[in-house]
Amino acid sequence: MADIYEHQAPEKLQGKYQAMVVYCILGIGSLVSWNSMLSIADYYYQVFPDYHPSRVLTLVYQPFALGTIVILAYHESKISTRKRNLIGYILYTISTFSLIVLDSATKGRGGIGPYIGLCAVVASFGLADATVQGGMIGDLSLMCPELVQSFMGGLAVAGALTSALRLITKAAFEKTNNGLRKGAMMFLAISTFIDLLCVMLYTYVLPKLPIVKYYRRKAASEGSKTVSADLAAAGIQNQSGLTDDDSKNQRLSKKELLIQNIDYAVNLFLIYVCTLSIFPGFLYENTGHHGLGAWYALVLVAMYNFWDLVGRYTPLVKWLKIENRKLITSAVLSRYLLIPAFYFTAKYGDQGWMIMLVSALGLTNGHLTVCIMTIAPKGYKGPEQNALGNLLVIFLLGGIFAGVALDWLWLIGKKNAF
């Protein structure tokens, strides 16, 4: 039955660029809320100066994201991808809007009560993140690498977009009364709109694109049950006939998939341990004071996000894409040289060297992530690709969680750290 789909090249290519744009927007929507939180951290440092917002909020976010993705990945073959992703984007929309409501209700005042409320909303971001990222990457693993790359690029666009907007709003509102708060609320309003747009795109546009229908029908022919609701939304019914052949339904177990791809999984984990042990906590609290003043941390975050975006598109250049598994491992391990480099630059260097290091951190983070995510699913059947995508997201979020925890070590020996 799968052979039928191998000879449908015209349908396979139709709507490819539209799909790339839609997946890029969906990538933006899956991280824009969280990146907005990071970008307006200077506002939360003003409201909650004693609570280490950038570190604490990230530490609250990650356990919920990691715990949720582990549960969802375990049951991935039984969960409708459509319902999962829509629940995630709707939760993002409601949670982001809740931040505006919370700030309006408290009138921008600090204190332990509003901070607990803020942490509760951030925890819901973690639930939404695991729901969307695992579902989207699992679904995209069924498709061509260009669509995977578009979604991963969208994740970085979210960071670059929020950083650019933060610099603009800071310049626009810096000298106005309550300027930081006005800029922060504008951010959250834009994020809410983008997440609502993602709900609409995923519900009404994505399922009907020919290239998406092609890959989902192909996955169904290989035994995937997670795509049934998406196919039904596209007007394709009675897919059960495609999976009557038991030989088509046989698939590798999650354990077998993990063993075959353990190097990719561990490398993803190590990439994000390194990145999140530096970004964003170190950049906000450990880089000292320089000529840029209050703009310094914002510029560093913006540079990281910009080069992370660039890095997610460099694998499109064939000779830059790393496909050798040993080379990927070597590149991942070599990034750990950045940690002592950041330490000594913060202590002895100037802002130019710090900007260069942040750029290198972002560039390598984006490039290596996309290389792994686009190479790993090759050669597997639809259900296996979906399972592998979810497994890789577990290690990615696990690396983020470990990196966030290790980020607190930078506070050792720092006066008035706690």
Side-chain angles (χ1 to χ4, degrees):
M1 182 62 70
D3 292 340
I4 294 175
Y5 300 97
E6 296 299 327
H7 297 91
Q8 293 183 350
E11 181 186 355
K12 177 180 176 180
L13 296 175
Q14 287 174 11
K16 180 177 180 179
Y17 293 107
Q18 294 95 314
M20 289 175 69
V21 171
V22 171
Y23 275 119
C24 184
I25 295 171
L26 290 172
I28 294 171
S30 68
L31 265 190
V32 69
S33 297
W34 177 239
N35 275 316
S36 292
M37 290 286 294
L38 296 180
S39 296
I40 62 175
D42 53 341
Y43 169 63
Y44 287 121
Y45 271 99
Q46 176 181 290
V47 178
F48 307 107
D50 300 323
Y51 297 128
H52 303 286
S54 68
R55 284 188 162 103
V56 172
L57 295 180
T58 310
L59 196 58
V60 169
Y61 178 96
Q62 291 307 326
F64 285 91
L66 183 58
T68 304
I69 188 59
V70 169
I71 294 169
L72 292 176
Y74 183 78
H75 297 286
E76 53 80 25
S77 62
K78 303 174 184 177
I79 300 173
S80 166
T81 300
R82 181 175 179 79
K83 292 179 181 177
R84 175 177 174 174
N85 289 332
L86 283 175
I87 288 171
Y89 281 116
I90 290 170
L91 183 56
Y92 264 133
T93 305
I94 294 172
S95 300
T96 310
F97 185 69
S98 297
L99 287 176
I100 300 175
V101 173
L102 176 66
D103 192 85
S104 299
T106 60
K107 298 181 179 178
R109 289 193 292 266
I112 191 64
Y115 194 63
I116 291 173
L118 178 64
C119 290
V121 174
V122 167
S124 70
F125 281 164
L127 296 176
D129 182 23
T131 305
V132 167
Q133 284 220 46
M136 289 298 298
I137 292 175
D139 191 38
L140 281 162
S141 296
L142 312 170
M143 305 183 192
C144 60
E146 291 87 346
L147 297 184
V148 180
Q149 187 273 331
S150 293
F151 180 79
M152 300 303 294
L155 300 178
V157 170
L161 177 65
T162 52
S163 287
L165 286 173
R166 185 69 195 105
L167 294 174
I168 293 169
T169 54
K170 184 173 176 63
F173 294 116
E174 188 174 29
K175 295 182 180 180
T176 64
N177 185 38
N178 243 353
L180 268 180
R181 186 183 179 208
K182 291 176 182 176
M185 293 305 102
M186 179 183 291
F187 253 84
L188 296 176
I190 293 171
S191 298
T192 303
F193 171 77
I194 292 174
D195 284 324
L196 184 59
L197 175 63
C198 287
V199 174
M200 298 297 105
L201 287 174
Y202 194 93
T203 303
Y204 300 111
V205 178
L206 190 67
K208 298 178 182 179
L209 295 175
I211 190 171
V212 175
K213 289 193 289 186
Y214 165 82
Y215 279 113
R216 285 174 173 166
R217 292 179 67 189
K218 184 173 183 291
S221 76
E222 295 171 341
S224 177
K225 298 177 182 179
T226 61
V227 296
S228 299
D230 282 306
L231 288 171
I236 302 172
Q237 305 291 341
N238 300 320
Q239 291 299 311
S240 57
L242 294 173
T243 58
D244 289 340
D245 185 354
D246 287 340
S247 66
K248 299 289 184 184
N249 292 334
Q250 294 177 358
R251 51 164 280 185
L252 295 173
S253 67
K254 294 181 181 68
K255 182 179 179 181
E256 290 170 323
L257 285 169
L258 184 57
I259 290 171
Q260 291 182 12
N261 295 276
I262 191 64
D263 57 328
Y264 288 136
V266 172
N267 281 332
L268 269 179
F269 178 84
L270 293 174
I271 287 169
Y272 284 86
V273 168
C274 180
T275 299
L276 270 294
S277 65
I278 297 168
F279 177 89
F282 176 86
L283 302 185
Y284 273 104
E285 296 189 17
N286 295 83
T287 51
H289 301 282
H290 297 273
L292 290 171
W295 289 79
Y296 188 46
L298 294 179
V299 170
L300 292 179
V301 171
M303 291 304 296
Y304 169 84
N305 284 324
F306 172 77
W307 285 104
D308 182 45
L309 172 59
V310 172
R312 288 172 193 252
Y313 283 90
T314 49
L316 291 175
V317 182
K318 191 172 182 179
W319 60 273
L320 287 176
K321 187 174 183 179
I322 307 174
E323 297 189 342
N324 183 283
R325 298 170 85 142
K326 292 183 178 178
L327 281 179
I328 289 175
T329 301
S330 298
V332 169
L333 294 176
S334 66
R335 293 181 82 237
Y336 279 80
L337 294 173
L338 289 170
I339 293 176
F342 269 98
Y343 173 77
F344 287 111
T345 302
K347 199 167 184 178
Y348 304 111
D350 61 20
Q351 56 198 27
W353 287 104
M354 184 62 72
I355 290 172
M356 185 187 73
L357 286 177
V358 169
S359 301
L361 183 73
L363 181 66
T364 53
N365 183 84
H367 185 83
L368 292 171
T369 298
V370 170
C371 285
I372 292 173
M373 287 296 193
T374 54
I375 294 168
K378 289 182 178 179
Y380 293 103
K381 293 190 293 185
E384 295 166 343
Q385 290 172 325
N386 184 59
L388 180 57
N390 277 270
L391 290 172
L392 291 177
V393 173
I394 288 177
F395 280 84
L396 187 155
L397 292 179
I400 292 175
F401 181 43
V404 167
L406 291 171
D407 182 49
W408 286 82
L409 295 178
W410 292 106
L411 294 180
I412 295 175
K414 186 179 178 182
K415 292 181 179 179
N416 301 319
F418 302 99

